[in-house]
Amino acid sequence: MADLFWLSDEQWTVIEPFMPKDQPGPERKDDRQIISGILHVLTSGCRWRDCPATYGPRTTVYNRFNRWSRRGFWKAMLAALATAGWAGDAAALDSSYVRAHRSAHGGKGGRRPQAIGPSRGGQTTKIHALTDVLGRPGVLLLTPGNTSDVTTAPAVLAEAPGRIQRLAADKGYDADWLRADLRKSGITPVIPGKRGRKRKIRHDRPRYRERWRIEATFNRLKDYRRIATRYDKLARNYASALALAAVIAFWC
């Protein structure tokens, strides 16, 4: 159990420079051990209270995750790694649903601002991702499950960590205004047209086939059970879990 989800030396070499230094107060518990405990919870899907003692006190594991999530630490780490390592000038854009567990949305009626909304699968959260040519996510954005892909695209692209010359996306992003905005920004859209279009859209088919990489990205992220099903009530904490999973799966 002690090394089930332990960070390898190579992974820790990437993560260690981001650890906060010279903070006031008592000395922190071993960062590598505690983050390994966080990863154990994300991967196994267990409750925080069930985190094995080998990773340290379970309250310390949760509090470290929650406190650094509140500071935006995990998302900032992903953004920094993606900015430094963004590959190529081609990118892919897509989204995927995750089912929100009852403990996440809870309550009856009323507004739910925590990136949870009704869809065909019930109460869901939608993960919007922008990946580089190698399929590594540089942007991960959460919206309620009933949010349109195409209307969210500008917000995702605004956070792009590197240069984009070509953007591959599926028919859900087929909108004249989005195509015009992309071209105005110097980005060539690789987006097939919807079947009902009167004017057929031509797109680069060979480059579009490379879009499978972003599908594989979502599959890899959902290997983490607490990513595949959302248990976190706060969108902030779920986004942090998603960022940490992306760092370990793609950038280490």
Side-chain angles (χ1 to χ4, degrees):
M1 180 67 76
D3 60 353
L4 187 56
F5 302 119
W6 205 265
L7 289 167
S8 68
D9 291 341
E10 292 77 9
Q11 291 171 326
W12 184 243
T13 298
V14 174
I15 293 177
E16 197 272 338
F18 292 94
M19 295 299 103
K21 304 291 193 302
D22 302 323
Q23 289 189 318
E27 185 178 354
R28 292 198 308 267
K29 293 283 186 180
D30 181 77
D31 286 328
R32 184 172 180 177
Q33 181 184 19
I34 296 301
I35 293 177
S36 293
I38 295 171
L39 289 170
H40 176 91
V41 173
L42 298 187
T43 307
S44 67
C46 71
R47 300 176 300 178
W48 291 100
R49 69 179 68 178
D50 296 326
C51 184
T54 188
Y55 297 116
R58 64 191 186 190
T59 53
T60 301
V61 173
Y62 173 72
N63 289 339
R64 183 79 57 85
F65 171 76
N66 186 51
R67 184 169 63 251
W68 288 6
S69 175
R70 190 165 56 245
R71 297 175 184 173
F73 173 80
W74 309 108
K75 294 177 66 176
M77 185 193 302
L78 173 61
L81 289 170
T83 299
W86 191 255
D89 55 9
L93 177 65
D94 204 352
S95 70
S96 182
Y97 292 98
V98 290
R99 185 77 175 268
H101 194 269
R102 287 184 182 180
S103 62
H105 55 79
K108 294 183 178 179
R111 186 179 181 186
R112 300 186 179 97
Q114 297 296 334
I116 298 176
S119 66
R120 292 181 182 179
Q123 295 295 329
T124 60
T125 292
K126 187 179 284 189
I127 304 170
H128 303 264
L130 181 71
T131 63
D132 67 6
V133 72
L134 300 177
R136 299 178 300 179
V139 181
L140 293 167
L141 182 68
L142 301 181
T143 65
N146 56 340
T147 304
S148 166
D149 287 346
V150 68
T151 56
T152 309
V156 178
L157 292 169
E159 297 183 25
R163 181 184 181 188
I164 299 176
Q165 285 189 320
R166 295 183 302 277
L167 179 70
D170 64 21
K171 295 179 181 180
Y173 296 89
D174 176 28
D176 290 336
W177 65 265
L178 179 59
R179 293 177 185 275
D181 285 353
L182 290 173
R183 291 194 174 94
K184 189 180 298 183
S185 301
I187 302 173
T188 301
V190 184
I191 305 172
K194 295 179 180 177
R195 184 175 299 178
R197 268 187 173 273
K198 293 183 179 179
R199 183 176 64 86
K200 297 299 181 182
I201 297 293
R202 298 181 62 184
H203 66 281
D204 191 328
R205 291 177 181 272
R207 295 191 183 281
Y208 182 73
R209 293 192 189 100
E210 293 299 311
R211 204 184 64 83
W212 68 268
R213 295 184 186 277
I214 195 169
E215 301 288 353
T217 298
F218 284 120
N219 290 339
R220 179 68 184 91
L221 289 173
K222 290 181 180 181
D223 284 342
Y224 294 81
R225 293 185 180 181
R226 286 189 72 98
I227 300 299
T229 300
R230 176 177 168 180
Y231 289 88
D232 297 283
K233 182 172 292 186
L234 297 179
R236 177 196 72 207
N237 283 8
Y238 184 71
S240 294
L242 190 63
L244 178 56
V247 166
I248 299 301
F250 296 97
W251 294 102
C252 286

